[in-house]
Amino acid sequence: MTIRRRRSALYMPASNARAIVKARTLDCDVVILDLEDAVAPDEKAAARDRVVKAVREGGFGERELVVRVNGLDTPWYADDITALRSIGVDAVLVPKVSSVADLIAVCASLGEDGPPIWAMIETCAAILAFPALSAAAAETRLTALVAGTNDLAKEMRCRLGADRMPLIPALTTTIMAARAAGIVALDGVCNALDDPARFTAECLQGAMLGFDGKTLIHPSQIDAANEGFGPSEDELAWARTIVAAFSAPENADKGAIRLGGQMVERLHLAEAEATLASFG
């Protein structure tokens, strides 16, 4: 079993041809070509054409290729969706998904054979709609929830500090909703480009909360995200120890074993196997 890494998901402006070329060389796990916030209104059409050309040309290697479209209520949404239906993107990221009706509309517009959907969670309505959104994930091809922390903080009118304390309930609820649906959860961006210590702290916090990775706004953030959301060498070694212990004949039928002074259960074995499948 191979589990896709999503430690670092880098937004790249679709209006910048050089940025798209550079994205093919970076050590991020996911490239998100952005047609929304990073593109001025008068550049939307040209940026869309540039994305279609880049996707068809390929060259992104093992990086997951996602395109963020403009919102459902914008004049560019329909053309974005039409352009992306069948060109081979790994997923379409949709801003401000706030209800099951939004998901159903996106899924229908992409067609039966369209790509998976990633949903930006950046409204209070979305947080309150999580039970329904999780339940609808399979039928709507929803495969990831992406925290939109900037817009969510704006709508909440909260005052964010380095600890992101006002957003913690929303972030943990996002993770729980993703896990309930069996899908991916990505943390929001950090705007503090000149404060690498703060970014590193956010990565460690996001990983501690349970996110699979973090969305990024600059290539300089990739290494810290990969390190923060990837297992350490000690964690990999421990995972191998767990797998080896349960593989021993004397433990074949045991639900739990004593290992390294700890009680290790088969749920820990499943976690170890998943870690090694992705990083081992």
Side-chain angles (χ1 to χ4, degrees):
M1 176 180 65
T2 299
I3 300 175
R4 207 155 193 174
R5 301 180 186 184
R6 296 182 175 100
R7 302 163 298 175
S8 49
L10 176 65
Y11 290 109
M12 296 297 267
S15 56
N16 187 332
R18 292 178 61 185
I20 295 175
V21 171
K22 185 176 183 179
R24 294 181 170 98
T25 69
L26 298 172
D27 195 28
C28 54
D29 295 330
V30 183
V31 172
I32 304 175
L33 301 180
D34 188 13
L35 291 170
E36 192 209 14
D37 287 345
V39 181
D42 61 352
E43 296 179 348
K44 298 285 189 184
R48 184 188 308 117
D49 292 342
R50 189 171 292 114
V51 164
V52 171
K53 181 174 182 290
V55 173
R56 286 176 171 161
E57 288 177 348
F60 291 90
E62 295 182 357
R63 300 167 192 85
E64 197 163 7
L65 184 58
V66 178
V67 179
R68 180 162 71 170
V69 298
N70 291 281
L72 285 89
D73 60 348
T74 69
W76 308 287
Y77 170 78
D79 288 337
D80 289 350
I81 292 296
T82 298
L84 298 174
R85 278 195 189 113
S86 58
I87 62 171
V89 294
D90 291 307
V92 171
L93 176 58
V94 184
K96 293 183 172 62
V97 171
S98 298
S99 67
V100 172
D102 290 343
L103 278 180
I104 291 173
V106 175
C107 188
S109 65
L110 286 169
E112 289 185 8
D113 299 321
I117 297 167
W118 288 16
M120 293 287 298
I121 302 302
E122 47 193 345
T123 67
C124 296
I127 303 295
L128 297 177
F130 269 146
L133 292 173
S134 295
E139 66 182 87
T140 57
R141 298 197 305 275
L142 177 65
T143 59
L145 300 178
V146 180
T149 44
N150 286 335
D151 282 282
L152 184 58
K154 178 182 177 182
E155 185 170 302
M156 289 173 59
R157 302 177 194 168
C158 64
R159 299 178 180 179
L160 287 183
D163 62 0
R164 302 195 295 176
M165 185 272 293
L167 289 182
I168 296 300
L171 295 176
T172 54
T173 306
T174 299
I175 294 164
M176 287 187 280
R179 300 302 173 238
I183 62 178
V184 171
L186 295 181
D187 197 1
V189 300
C190 176
N191 300 319
L193 286 177
D194 295 328
D195 191 348
R198 177 169 177 171
F199 179 76
T200 297
E202 275 197 22
C203 288
L204 295 176
Q205 180 192 52
M208 179 184 66
L209 291 174
F211 281 107
D212 297 292
K214 191 168 182 67
T215 47
L216 316 177
I217 57 174
H218 195 275
S220 64
Q221 298 175 326
I222 293 173
D223 288 345
N226 286 345
E227 182 175 351
F229 288 92
S232 66
E233 287 302 319
D234 287 345
E235 289 168 333
L236 284 172
W238 178 238
R240 295 187 187 102
T241 299
I242 292 173
V243 170
F246 274 103
S247 298
E250 63 271 21
N251 296 326
D253 298 325
K254 293 181 179 179
I257 59 176
R258 185 182 179 90
L259 185 65
Q262 301 183 41
M263 186 59 68
V264 179
E265 303 176 23
R266 290 210 168 256
L267 66 90
H268 301 113
L269 172 62
E271 292 174 350
E273 289 173 336
T275 295
L276 294 176
S278 184
F279 299 98

